[in-house]
Amino acid sequence: MIARVFLGLMALIFIPYGLYCLVVPGMLAGAAGVSASTGTGTIELQAMYGGLQTSVGVMCLLGVFRASVADAAMLALLFIFAGLAIVRVSLGLSQGEFTGYNTFAMIFESASLLFLGWYLLLRRPQATA
């Protein structure tokens, strides 16, 4: 039950953000300081921020409605948030870059990673002697 609630929350975050980035990739310039200088760059922003984030949200939504997918979706999110949080926090600390966007993302990604690690450790089958 807790996994499906978490996945539902993630779907509500990732799908709209991804779709917005897909349709309005230029908004990333003001929000995150990320902009494209060529058509290829714009496609890259749309694919990575739009397509990828939307598909992560759809994966989460699938986990909400199909219990058989929930644990796999939670594990996938663990790896996604591990990559994001570890790199963002490490680079933020090393470069002293704590803008509003970075700080919010650090907190969101790190908290999500900690929750997922806690949840998946509890779900781990106990070894029998």
Side-chain angles (χ1 to χ4, degrees):
M1 173 65 175
I2 193 167
R4 292 166 89 180
V5 170
F6 182 78
L7 291 170
L9 179 61
M10 292 298 108
L12 287 173
I13 293 169
F14 278 100
I15 293 172
Y17 184 68
L19 290 174
Y20 188 63
C21 290
L22 178 65
V23 176
V24 189
M27 78 80 161
L28 291 163
V34 177
S35 62
S37 59
T38 65
T40 298
T42 300
I43 291 169
E44 181 67 10
L45 292 178
Q46 288 172 301
M48 293 302 294
Y49 283 87
L52 180 63
Q53 301 235 11
T54 302
S55 67
V56 168
V58 171
M59 173 192 69
C60 293
L61 193 59
L62 184 60
V64 170
F65 293 107
R66 293 194 155 222
S68 62
V69 175
D71 280 346
M74 295 288 277
L75 182 61
L77 283 175
L78 176 80
F79 283 96
I80 290 167
F81 281 120
L84 290 168
I86 292 167
V87 170
R88 191 182 309 272
V89 169
S90 298
L91 292 175
L93 289 170
S94 71
Q95 297 176 18
E97 188 69 25
F98 296 101
T99 62
Y101 184 92
N102 263 345
T103 301
F104 174 79
M106 286 178 195
I107 293 167
F108 171 67
E109 293 160 359
S110 296
S112 297
L113 176 60
L114 289 172
F115 170 78
L116 287 158
W118 169 80
Y119 173 81
L120 291 168
L121 279 174
L122 287 181
R123 298 279 299 168
R124 195 170 123 218
Q126 298 299 316
T128 55

